[in-house]
Amino acid sequence: MHLLLEKIKYSLYGVFSPCEIKSVSRIICRDLLDICDTDYFLKNNIVLDTNREKLLFNSLERIKRGEPIQYVMGSVDFYGIHLTVDRRALIPRPETSELVEWILYDNIKDYASILDIGTGSGCIAIALSAKKPNWNVTGWDISSQALSLAMENNKINHTSVNFHEYDILSNPKCDNQFDLIVSNPPYITRSEMLEMDKNIIDWEPELALFVPNHNALLFYSAITNFAIKNLKTDGTIYFEINPIFAENLVDTLKAYGFLDVVVKKDISGKERMIRASRKHD
């Protein structure tokens, strides 16, 4: 095991920090090579067969080229569910799981009709469906590729989310009324690209990341306009947000007539989520 860990460490030197290399090494050994934690921590001698040697070599080469470790591994754990991930959709982030937790904390009723707009991998919709099997959960996305991934994840997790291809910017017609609308839409402006990690820009789908500098609230405005018509009178809307535009979004929601607008910070202390209702609590 010592020689194996040294090989992984040497391959990843300069790609990750020493602390990150330790974490990534464990992920590779446990999730890619199926090495148990006992052997890993005790550094027991492990001899890889030809197939695992090849898998390790190819995976390390992909990581060294900058591909996100989640894509290399092909899966992530997200709020108690296991998701397949690849370049068809964004990698689910821990902040998004905090949004799911907030929704579940607020909404304890056994039945509700939920719409997740810009569902991507399906992480929000599937997590909600897994925790609340009686909820009627629907996921929309403009990307047929993302939807194909979401449907795969729906099947893997034995959930019953209804996925459909819709472009929220086209003002889609919908006769359904929802108790709750949630979205983690594109919210990074083009000017912020210079501050982002290269492995995000080069590998994750641009369609799900960026908005024009001059119209940063493009998707929030479209979704809020849709919600005015398609939320029930006591319905609620939840967003994951760019902290830079938290105040602007509060003003936008209030301008559309939403009440009880609440901004919530994530575990890092950033204003990352927002909730608004059609009427006062």
Side-chain angles (χ1 to χ4, degrees):
M1 174 63 76
H2 177 73
L3 292 176
L4 175 61
L5 290 176
E6 285 299 313
K7 180 178 182 178
I8 295 172
K9 180 179 177 181
Y10 178 80
S11 295
L12 299 181
Y13 182 78
V15 179
F16 297 107
S17 69
C19 183
E20 289 173 325
I21 288 176
K22 186 176 181 180
S23 176
V24 171
S25 295
R26 187 184 175 196
I27 292 171
I28 289 173
C29 290
R30 182 190 61 199
D31 299 334
L32 184 73
L33 303 176
D34 291 325
I35 295 171
C36 69
D37 283 340
T38 301
D39 286 336
Y40 177 83
F41 286 114
L42 293 179
K43 293 183 171 57
N44 292 332
N45 184 42
I46 297 292
V47 178
L48 299 181
D49 58 30
T50 302
N51 288 336
R52 286 199 294 175
E53 278 276 10
K54 184 177 180 180
L55 179 62
L56 176 61
F57 175 80
N58 290 338
S59 298
L60 290 174
E61 288 300 306
R62 290 170 65 185
I63 293 171
K64 286 191 288 185
R65 290 198 299 267
E67 186 171 351
I69 181 69
Q70 295 90 340
Y71 286 165
V72 174
M73 302 303 297
S75 64
V76 296
D77 292 323
F78 176 86
Y79 206 79
I81 60 175
H82 194 67
L83 298 170
T84 295
V85 290
D86 57 37
R87 296 185 71 175
R88 286 175 286 178
L90 290 184
I91 299 165
R93 264 60 174 190
E95 305 94 289
T96 308
S97 70
E98 294 182 57
L99 177 61
V100 171
E101 186 171 32
W102 193 19
I103 291 171
L104 291 170
Y105 179 85
D106 285 349
N107 299 273
I108 60 174
K109 51 190 174 183
D110 290 330
Y111 177 81
S113 179
I114 316 296
L115 175 62
D116 174 24
I117 298 177
T119 193
S121 66
C123 60
I124 294 175
I126 293 170
L128 292 175
S129 182
K131 298 298 181 182
K132 292 285 189 176
N134 291 329
W135 283 9
N136 182 11
V137 183
T138 300
W140 287 1
D141 207 288
I142 189 176
S143 168
S144 59
Q145 290 187 323
L147 287 170
S148 68
L149 178 62
M151 286 186 277
E152 290 173 23
N153 285 322
N154 200 29
K155 185 175 181 179
I156 289 168
N157 288 281
H158 307 288
T159 44
S160 54
V161 181
N162 300 298
F163 289 107
H164 301 284
E165 187 173 335
Y166 278 99
D167 176 8
I168 193 62
L169 298 182
S170 68
N171 191 26
K173 302 297 181 190
C174 178
D175 296 327
N176 296 335
Q177 295 287 298
F178 300 96
D179 295 289
L180 187 154
I181 293 175
V182 58
S183 183
N184 175 20
Y187 59 61
I188 302 171
T189 60
R190 294 284 175 179
S191 59
E192 294 178 85
M193 286 180 65
L194 296 176
E195 304 170 16
M196 295 177 65
D197 291 338
K198 199 170 184 295
N199 64 342
I200 296 176
I201 298 171
D202 289 349
W203 292 92
E204 298 196 59
E206 183 175 311
L207 182 67
L209 286 170
F210 299 110
V211 289
N213 291 334
H214 67 276
N215 196 3
L217 301 184
L218 172 66
F219 287 93
Y220 296 103
S221 297
I223 295 167
T224 304
N225 183 58
F226 174 86
I228 286 294
K229 296 174 286 188
N230 292 92
L231 265 181
K232 296 179 181 178
T233 54
D234 59 346
T236 309
I237 191 167
Y238 290 81
F239 285 123
E240 184 172 324
I241 65 174
N242 186 333
I244 297 172
F245 301 108
E247 186 175 341
N248 303 76
L249 187 51
V250 169
D251 292 340
T252 297
L253 287 164
K254 288 181 177 178
Y256 274 95
F258 277 86
L259 308 168
D260 294 317
V261 182
V262 177
V263 176
K264 186 177 178 65
K265 293 181 179 180
D266 63 19
I267 196 170
S268 301
K270 295 182 179 181
E271 293 181 321
R272 182 67 67 182
M273 297 160 275
I274 197 163
R275 180 192 69 202
S277 304
R278 292 294 301 274
K279 68 176 186 177
H280 284 295
D281 292 335

